Amino acid sequence: MCWKQCLDDGACDVRSSVPGAGEPGICLGCCAAESTGHCPWLSAAAGPSPQNFSAPLADSYCETLPVDGPPSFRGQSVKYVYKLTIGCQRVNSPIKLLRVPFRVLVLHGLKDYQFPQDEAVAPSNPFLEEEEGLKKDSRLADLATELLMVATSRRSLHLYNISNTRGKVGTFCIFKTVYKIGEDVIGTFNFSEGDIPCLQFSVSLQTEESIQEEFQRRRGQPVSFTTHARHQESCLHTAQSSFSLPIPLSSTPGFTTNIVSLKWRLHFEFVTSGESAGTCLVRGSQSEAVTWTGVEQMEVDTFSWDLPIKVLPTNPILASYVSQFSSTNSITI
């Protein structure tokens, strides 16, 4: 089992059973564990009478992933890919490799956690046989779920004034800035208290991928942005408005390594009127005093604003619902 981080300026030339052999990029890290098994029924089947051997083969494999490793990530400049490579060979036959990709979600803070000592002497069900390793894995899973719930359930009112050089446009309200993948980012606008009329606004949910200086392909390599969801609305004479942007389950939570840093943000763009609110509309006719028609031309001002947010992983079972990986794989030798 290996993980590989690839930069898109080279090629991996790996001739052993390492995931990603021949794929573009540079293999910079590997956490590998080899398990070799001899299959007597396969060796015997290569003899003169293979029809006499039809015994099924069953085997198991277990490996612990590094808790401080990077999550699965496919960025514009860097990719972290996890694959399980299975090699099989019959006598006098070439080696066949089966590469099974899988997704890894990393929750920081579990590495140095110490379980209370009283858990070791806590009463247990004598009718259930459970190995110590499985107990620890279960406790880690429960702890990760609890930490995620605590971190993302905290709500606190955050108010931001939206203004440009000419005055106040409105206010923006959001109740939390820490989310799990799969959640919705919800915010509200209040333009009723603004001095400058807002004609249109847009909100984009983006990730910011920045490469460390020593790994940049060229000096001053710009930061890469990826938009995952976007909301746009015309809001002239709108007192209040809101938006809801879903965080895709297939996305990668924020993380930082010695090569790349991935951060999340809300990117706002506002289009405001260069004129006062009273001259934005004109009457349609004198006989229809209540009918108003928008002007054909108007001077506008535009400005943008970025609000950093934090995105954490979610329950792997929930994330697996949108997995593009096949649950069954086969190899012919």
Side-chain angles (χ1 to χ4, degrees):
M1 184 276 299
C2 303
W3 65 266
K4 187 185 75 166
Q5 50 188 3
C6 292
L7 297 173
D8 291 340
D9 57 354
C12 279
D13 185 12
V14 184
R15 301 185 183 277
S16 62
S17 58
V18 175
E23 295 180 354
I26 301 176
C27 188
L28 299 177
C30 181
C31 172
E34 295 184 359
S35 177
T36 304
H38 180 60
C39 307
W41 69 279
L42 287 178
S43 301
S49 302
Q51 66 275 10
N52 296 329
F53 298 90
S54 59
L57 174 66
D59 197 3
S60 62
Y61 172 79
C62 180
E63 177 65 25
T64 302
L65 295 172
V67 295
D68 55 350
S72 299
F73 174 62
R74 292 185 176 272
Q76 299 185 28
S77 301
V78 176
K79 297 180 177 63
Y80 289 99
V81 181
Y82 287 81
K83 296 180 182 179
L84 178 67
T85 300
I86 304 171
C88 296
Q89 182 184 25
R90 296 183 62 173
V91 177
N92 300 325
S93 300
I95 298 178
K96 296 294 184 68
L97 298 180
L98 174 64
R99 295 185 175 92
V100 181
F102 59 94
R103 184 183 179 189
V104 173
L105 299 174
V106 178
L107 178 62
H108 298 285
L110 294 179
K111 180 179 180 180
D112 301 325
Y113 182 83
Q114 299 293 332
F115 289 98
Q117 295 295 329
D118 55 357
E119 290 191 6
V121 296
S124 59
N125 192 336
F127 299 100
L128 296 179
E129 295 183 0
E130 188 175 9
E131 298 180 0
E132 184 63 28
L134 295 179
K135 289 183 179 180
K136 184 177 180 181
D137 292 342
S138 177
R139 292 198 299 268
L140 281 175
D142 294 339
L143 173 63
T145 302
E146 181 179 354
L147 290 178
L148 286 173
M149 184 64 65
V150 171
T152 58
S153 62
R154 296 172 181 171
R155 292 181 175 270
S156 176
L157 181 62
H158 297 78
L159 283 175
Y160 301 90
N161 288 324
I162 307 170
S163 60
N164 58 10
T165 57
R166 298 177 56 242
K168 183 177 179 180
V169 177
T171 58
F172 172 69
C173 171
I174 192 170
F175 285 93
K176 66 176 187 175
T177 56
V178 181
Y179 302 87
K180 295 180 295 185
I181 57 175
E183 286 189 316
D184 294 338
V185 180
I186 300 175
T188 60
F189 294 97
N190 186 353
F191 299 109
S192 61
E193 301 176 356
D195 302 323
I196 308 300
C198 184
L199 307 179
Q200 180 179 285
F201 73 88
S202 65
V203 187
S204 300
L205 179 64
Q206 297 179 339
T207 50
E208 174 184 335
E209 177 186 346
S210 57
I211 307 299
Q212 303 298 336
E213 184 176 357
E214 58 268 28
F215 293 98
Q216 293 180 359
R217 286 177 291 183
R218 60 184 182 276
R219 188 176 182 86
Q221 179 179 348
V223 177
S224 302
F225 296 97
T226 301
T227 300
H228 299 273
R230 189 171 186 268
H231 175 87
Q232 180 174 317
E233 183 177 333
S234 298
C235 56
L236 180 60
H237 291 299
T238 299
Q240 295 181 345
S241 184
S242 63
F243 67 89
S244 177
L245 299 176
I247 304 175
L249 281 172
S250 57
S251 60
T252 302
F255 71 97
T256 300
T257 66
N258 63 325
I259 296 180
V260 63
S261 174
L262 184 73
K263 300 179 181 180
W264 287 76
R265 72 175 190 177
L266 291 175
H267 179 69
F268 299 84
E269 294 181 357
F270 298 94
V271 180
T272 60
S273 172
E275 305 172 359
S276 63
T279 59
C280 287
L281 300 177
V282 298
R283 290 179 181 273
S285 64
Q286 294 295 333
S287 60
E288 299 178 357
V290 296
T291 302
W292 295 80
T293 304
V295 297
E296 296 182 357
Q297 295 183 352
M298 182 184 303
E299 294 184 1
V300 298
D301 297 325
T302 61
F303 65 97
S304 60
W305 170 51
D306 297 324
L307 175 64
I309 63 174
K310 190 174 183 179
V311 176
L312 303 178
T314 188
N315 191 315
I317 298 178
L318 180 61
S320 65
Y321 290 155
V322 295
S323 175
Q324 299 178 354
F325 299 146
S326 174
S327 59
T328 59
N329 297 270
S330 61
I331 182 173
T332 303
I333 59 175

